[in-house]
Amino acid sequence: MLAVMEGATGVVSAVGSFGEPPLNARSMFEMNGIANANIAQCATDSGVRRFAYISAHQYPIAKQTVFNGYYRGKVHAEDKIRELPFDETTILRPGFISGTRGNVPLHILGTPMAAAFRSAPFRSLRSALPSFFGDFLETPVDVGDVAICAVAGALGEMPPAGKTATCLGGTEMVAVAAELRLRDAGGA
């Protein structure tokens, strides 16, 4: 893997899995945590200066279920990535990623959910609820917005410039992606 990264200045890791066999806690931890930590270590060993990691929103109740290994792995990877000497680190924590997966049009559900969850009434409701419940109102993010933020992180173009560690949830990703689109279109 070192040879593949040689000469790169930025890397994006989007490795994630529900395990093999499916929902096996140890397998999920290894695939989401150890694998991503190793990718980040290889990146620093190759001289890569910027690293973007697509993690996951930390739903409190989900961490207490069969998905425990998945979430523990994601947090393990985040912690290891933050410890490494990258000039810039971008950690994205999307909840529901909207788009098309295979032949499944997730955007049919995700797009209206995102619009509703960004509305003032939902934001007020989310802030009024204990995080245990309010976190379920995390804004779904279009796969294109996740990609824009990940690439911007790897290229060192994540606003505000010069920030060494950026961690974005769904709402922040949507806003940053819109800002980057506007900038790229010559509007900022």
Side-chain angles (χ1 to χ4, degrees), residues 24-46:
N24 176 279
R26 180 183 173 123
S27 175
M28 286 190 286
F29 180 82
E30 290 172 354
M31 292 177 164
N32 294 290
I34 304 300
N36 283 298
N38 288 342
I39 291 167
Q41 184 64 59
C42 285
T44 58
D45 293 348
S46 298

Side-chain angles (χ1 to χ4, degrees), residues 7 11 16 26-27 44 54 57 82 90 103-104 109 140 147 163 165 176:
V11 168
R26 180 183 173 123
S27 175
T44 58
I54 301 173
H57 180 73
R82 284 186 184 102
T90 301
N103 293 329
V104 180
L109 182 61
K163 198 168 186 183
V176 167

Side-chain angles (χ1 to χ4, degrees), residues 7-172:
T9 57
V11 168
V12 174
S13 179
V15 173
S17 173
F18 289 116
E20 187 56 45
L23 301 181
N24 176 279
R26 180 183 173 123
S27 175
M28 286 190 286
F29 180 82
E30 290 172 354
M31 292 177 164
N32 294 290
I34 304 300
N36 283 298
N38 288 342
I39 291 167
Q41 184 64 59
C42 285
T44 58
D45 293 348
S46 298
V48 172
R49 298 185 346 253
R50 294 178 296 276
F51 194 85
Y53 173 51
I54 301 173
S55 185
H57 180 73
Q58 299 292 306
Y59 294 102
I61 197 165
K63 292 192 286 187
Q64 309 303 318
T65 67
V66 294
F67 296 106
N68 179 281
Y70 178 86
Y71 288 105
R72 283 187 317 106
K74 293 290 188 179
V75 169
H76 173 80
E78 289 180 18
D79 292 343
K80 294 297 180 185
I81 291 164
R82 284 186 184 102
E83 291 172 6
L84 293 170
F86 293 111
D87 292 346
E88 294 179 52
T89 302
T90 301
I91 296 173
L92 305 176
R93 286 182 149 190
F96 178 85
I97 298 178
S98 177
T100 300
R101 184 178 186 124
N103 293 329
V104 180
L106 298 173
H107 63 277
I108 290 174
L109 182 61
T111 301
M113 282 175 58
F117 287 11
R118 284 193 306 262
S119 70
F122 269 92
R123 286 194 323 263
S124 295
L125 176 62
R126 182 176 182 199
S127 64
L129 292 171
S131 67
F132 185 78
F133 298 108
D135 276 355
F136 286 102
L137 300 178
E138 175 65 21
T139 301
V141 184
D142 183 81
V143 66
D145 290 344
V146 177
I148 287 169
C149 290
V151 169
L155 294 175
E157 297 177 359
M158 183 64 70
K163 198 168 186 183
T164 56
T166 303
C167 186
L168 300 177
T171 303
E172 295 90 1

